[in-house]
RNA sequence: GUGGUUGUAGCUCAGCUGGUUAGAGCGCUGGAUUGUGGUUCCAGAGGUCGCCGGUUCGAACCCGGUCUUCCACCCCA
């Protein structure tokens, strides 16, 4: 026998049940995206390398899957690159395409290329797979789906308010309570770095701060010292390590710290706007939290930063994230267009819903009625009913073989089919059908029209 | 990319310091039961012990490599 086939690390096949459940999630996300006024687009699964490279930082570049050129590509490679075993330089000689790493950069590219045909503000959503050459772990794959909604061409903070509401609406409809929407602002982080005289060390400063819940206060201070921040500087941000109280109280504390930083004050003001308005409008399923340690995606975010954490007790990284980029399309030559957006991590949301048992029973119900097969003549009689059921929009099927009843019944059980129709010689003689409810075992012998009425 | 971890039947897992023919539960197939499933009882099928190589009289077990899983770091959905 041939060697057993396999699939690449970090990729998965999906069974019918898994696809059905995934469709349930994306269906809800899609519906809410549309309800909030977003329009769908799609972009290619691979882009020109220079569209992607350099957009996600050095770490990001490392994780981009690159596509080998066709043909005798080595012949065109620069001899000195080959000679020196210079992988990075070689890579650009022999590869000019790469797999999509996220949906935001391709979207920025899309906006620039289609700038003459789109009206700003442009609100689009996009649900497609992305690829990262990461080392897989639970909830971390090398191929996974992102569900993004972004707006370009509006500086209004009402967009941020809308996105928080959108997050909340989706998680509420999924029945996922207790998610935490964490919000921060790049300007606040920049302000903090500024008041401690470390404006040039913003990234090091925030990366260290981001680890607070993981390595604790001492760990963060140690890392900051290693990165060259002074003792006095760290002393000035001491209040951050004991940040408590309501969101309003936290904002008050932040404001007190940032009084001397114009940029920092602007960030606090923006956070206040978002929080006060979202609070006044109300949330259904999520907790809102000011989190000054949140520092995701700092390579590009310039204003709001969002991250959604799974409910307490579920070991899962973030299930969503987003933020604002003041100059989203600038990298592709279209200046002064601001963008803000959020993303849902489909694969992680799936794992969370599965762990919490939140998929409705009805989600996996595909066929509603199974007609049992007792033989050729009976099958034809069943087919007549089948057509009527399908005309009424009821998912129905006939068991293809005149197998033992036990086998046919078991098939219905395993497929989670709620109704079975028995149509044998008795029913044919009386022009009736016997409808059996598989969950409680009750059955009725009915005329065709009665049966149809009962199921619609 | 760094360090570690896991892999035995379709699934979840036993398998002693290396020693005949590798086990269990669940599931699957058939029967008890020719038009009534889920419960019960009986029988049966199913494994190159992830893969390649090494040590040994002898390897599921020891060693090396490789793939995969999960974990920590990095980063992230």
């Amino acid at each position: 026998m041939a060697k057993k086939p396999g699939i690449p690390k970090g990729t998965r096949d999906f069974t019918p049940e898994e696809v059905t459940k995934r469709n349930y999630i994306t269906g809800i996300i899609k519906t809410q995206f549309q309800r909030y006024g977003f329009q769908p687009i799609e972009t290619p699964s691979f882009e020109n390398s220079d569209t992607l490279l350099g957009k996600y930082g050095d770490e990001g570049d490392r994780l981009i899957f690159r596509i080998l050129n066709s043909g005798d590509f080595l012949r065109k490679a620069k001899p000195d690159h080959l000679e020196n075993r210079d992988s990075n330089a070689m890579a650009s000689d022999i590869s000019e395409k790469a797999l999509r790493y996220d949906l935001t950069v391709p979207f920025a590219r899309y906006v620039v290329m289609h700038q003459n045909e789109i009206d700003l503000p442009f609100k689009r959503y996009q649900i497609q797979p992305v690829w990262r050459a990461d080392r897989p772990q639970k909830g971390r794959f090398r191929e996974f789906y992102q569900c993004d909604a972004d707006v370009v061409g509006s500086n209004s903070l009402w967009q941020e308010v809308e996105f928080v509401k959108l997050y909340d609406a989706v998680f509420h409809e999924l029945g996922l309570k207790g998610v935490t929407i964490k919000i921060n602002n790049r300007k606040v982080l920049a302000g903090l770095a500024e008041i401690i005289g470390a404006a040039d060390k913003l990234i090091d400063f925030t990366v260290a701060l981001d680890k607070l819940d993981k390595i604790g206060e001492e760990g963060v201070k140690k890392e900051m010292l290693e990165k060259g921040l002074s003792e006095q500087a760290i002393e000035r941000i001491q209040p951050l390590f004991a940040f408590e109280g309501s969101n309003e109280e936290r904002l008050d504390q932040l404001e007190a710290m940032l009084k001397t930083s114009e940029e920092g004050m602007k960030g606090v003001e923006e956070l206040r706007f978002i929080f006060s308005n979202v609070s006044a409008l109300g949330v259904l399923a999520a907790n809102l939290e000011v989190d000054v340690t949140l520092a995701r995606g700092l390579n590009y975010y310039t204003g709001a930063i969002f991250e959604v954490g799974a409910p307490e007790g579920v070991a899962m990284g973030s299930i969503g994230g987003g933020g604002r980029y003041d100059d989203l399309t600038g990298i592709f030559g279209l200046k002064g267009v601001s963008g803000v957006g959020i993303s849902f991590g489909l694969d992680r949301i799936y794992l969370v819903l599965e762990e919490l048992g939140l998929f409705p029973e009805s989600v996996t119900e595909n066929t509603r009625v199974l007609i049992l097969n007792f033989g050729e003549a009976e099958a034809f009689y069943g087919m007549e009913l089948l057509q009527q059921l399908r005309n009424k929009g009821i998912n129905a099927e006939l068991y293809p073989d005149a197998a033992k009843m036990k086998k046919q019944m078991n098939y219905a059980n395993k497929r989670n089919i709620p109704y079975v129709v028995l149509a044998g010689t008795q029913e044919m003689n009386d022009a009736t059908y016997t409808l059996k409810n598989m969950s409680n075992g009750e059955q009725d012998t009915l005329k065709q029209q009665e049966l149809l009425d009962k199921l619609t």
Side-chain angles (χ1 to χ4, degrees):
Chain A
M1 201 179 89
K3 198 177 152 219
K4 274 186 194 163
I7 56 175
K9 168 163 55 175
T11 65
R12 297 146 299 156
D13 285 328
F14 297 109
T15 62
E17 183 184 334
E18 288 167 329
V19 172
T20 304
K21 288 176 171 176
R22 288 165 67 88
N23 287 344
Y24 160 76
I25 298 172
T26 48
I28 286 174
I29 292 174
K30 204 179 289 182
T31 303
Q32 290 294 346
F33 280 176
Q34 286 168 357
R35 189 145 301 148
Y36 277 69
F38 293 87
Q39 295 180 282
I41 69 162
E42 293 191 3
T43 63
S45 50
F46 55 97
E47 295 269 354
N48 294 328
S49 297
D50 54 13
T51 300
L52 304 181
L53 292 171
K55 308 300 188 297
Y56 310 100
D58 291 343
E59 251 340 278
D61 279 1
R62 203 195 80 209
L63 299 175
I64 290 173
F65 273 110
R66 310 185 72 167
I67 298 172
L68 215 48
N69 289 345
S70 309
D72 192 4
F73 49 79
L74 222 42
R75 193 169 299 283
K76 296 175 192 158
K78 299 228 166 59
D80 55 321
H81 293 159
L82 258 174
E83 194 65 31
N84 298 328
R85 299 273 196 277
D86 186 339
S87 302
N88 274 337
M90 270 296 294
S92 26
D93 290 348
I94 64 176
S95 161
E96 51 200 21
K97 298 174 291 298
L99 287 178
R100 182 169 60 214
Y101 175 88
D102 74 354
L103 300 180
T104 306
V105 168
F107 173 51
R109 192 224 80 221
Y110 176 98
V111 170
V112 173
M113 282 184 66
H114 297 263
Q115 53 185 287
N116 294 325
E117 52 193 272
I118 59 181
D119 296 313
L120 299 181
F122 179 51
K123 300 170 68 171
R124 76 85 232 233
Y125 75 85
Q126 190 170 353
I127 298 176
Q128 290 191 278
V130 301
W131 294 270
R132 294 183 188 178
D134 215 349
R135 195 171 281 208
Q137 287 183 34
K138 186 178 185 182
R140 167 180 288 198
F141 308 100
R142 300 212 291 183
E143 176 182 65
F144 62 97
Y145 271 72
Q146 290 192 329
C147 314
D148 277 31
D150 292 85
V151 185
V152 285
S154 168
N155 293 314
S156 169
L157 283 173
W158 288 110
Q159 300 298 351
E160 275 83 340
V161 173
E162 282 264 75
F163 280 121
V164 174
K165 294 291 291 174
L166 176 52
Y167 263 141
D168 184 50
V170 168
F171 292 122
H172 179 252
E173 195 175 347
L174 287 170
L176 185 56
K177 294 185 185 25
V179 299
T180 302
I181 302 176
K182 293 180 247 182
I183 311 178
N184 196 9
N185 194 296
R186 162 78 173 241
K187 298 184 178 87
V188 167
L189 292 168
L192 289 169
E194 184 189 330
I195 60 162
I196 63 171
D200 58 325
K201 295 195 176 69
L202 174 63
I203 299 289
D204 284 341
F205 166 72
T206 51
V207 165
L209 190 59
D210 191 34
K211 295 178 186 165
L212 180 59
D213 58 345
K214 200 175 247 177
I215 61 178
E217 180 177 338
E218 291 314 311
V220 171
K221 286 180 175 172
K222 185 160 166 273
E223 180 162 333
M224 286 182 172
L225 282 173
E226 284 167 6
K227 295 292 182 184
L229 291 169
S230 69
E231 297 265 9
Q232 305 98 292
I234 295 170
E235 194 55 38
R236 292 200 60 180
I237 53 154
Q238 182 60 35
L240 295 182
F241 297 115
F243 228 48
E244 279 183 356
S246 68
N247 288 319
E248 286 73 19
E249 287 164 345
R250 291 176 186 212
L251 288 170
D252 289 343
Q253 292 172 61
L254 261 182
E255 192 168 318
M257 291 173 68
L258 290 167
K259 271 196 294 270
T260 58
S261 163
E262 192 182 329
E263 186 174 17
M265 291 300 278
K266 182 82 171 63
V268 173
E269 192 184 309
E270 290 185 13
L271 282 173
R272 273 196 201 285
F273 182 90
I274 298 165
F275 271 99
S276 62
N277 282 296
V278 171
S279 304
L281 291 164
V283 286
L284 299 165
N287 306 313
L288 258 55
E289 191 181 306
V290 173
D291 184 354
V292 282
T293 70
L294 179 59
R296 292 300 166 84
L298 255 147
N299 284 311
Y300 28 87
Y301 294 139
T302 53
I305 303 171
F306 302 115
E307 179 172 306
V308 184
E312 196 115 10
V314 182
M316 183 62 62
S318 58
I319 57 176
R324 181 177 283 274
Y325 317 68
D326 275 340
D327 195 20
L328 177 65
T329 57
I331 43 173
F332 298 118
L334 181 61
K335 302 288 181 194
V337 177
S338 177
V340 55
I342 59 173
S343 180
F344 292 83
L346 169 63
D347 306 82
R348 289 186 177 177
I349 291 171
Y350 181 103
L351 291 171
V352 171
L353 292 185
E354 193 69 271
E355 185 167 335
L356 264 29
L358 292 177
F359 284 108
E361 184 79 19
S362 58
V363 165
T364 49
E365 176 193 313
N366 293 311
T367 295
R368 204 147 160 254
V369 181
L370 175 74
I371 298 176
L372 300 196
N373 186 331
F374 293 106
E376 287 302 298
E378 292 90 338
F380 183 80
Y381 182 65
M383 287 294 270
E384 294 179 310
L385 173 65
L386 197 53
Q387 292 191 96
Q388 297 305 316
L389 287 166
R390 288 171 176 165
N391 287 343
K392 295 275 183 191
I394 297 167
N395 299 340
E397 61 183 299
L398 171 78
Y399 195 88
D401 305 294
K404 287 198 178 123
M405 227 171 136
K406 179 180 172 121
K407 190 174 169 68
Q408 299 193 43
M409 288 283 195
N410 271 331
Y411 177 83
N413 278 336
K414 266 179 261 172
R415 288 279 309 279
N416 199 19
I417 296 172
Y419 291 100
V420 150
V421 166
L422 291 82
T425 47
Q426 291 165 24
E427 284 84 357
M428 284 174 74
N429 289 336
D430 303 341
T432 58
Y433 295 94
T434 297
L435 179 70
K436 182 182 175 80
N437 179 323
M438 293 299 279
S439 54
N440 59 21
E442 284 171 16
Q443 59 185 58
D444 286 313
T445 299
L446 305 165
K447 294 287 183 194
Q448 187 182 92
Q449 193 55 50
E450 293 173 327
L451 187 151
L452 292 171
D453 289 344
K454 186 157 184 176
L455 291 176
T456 44

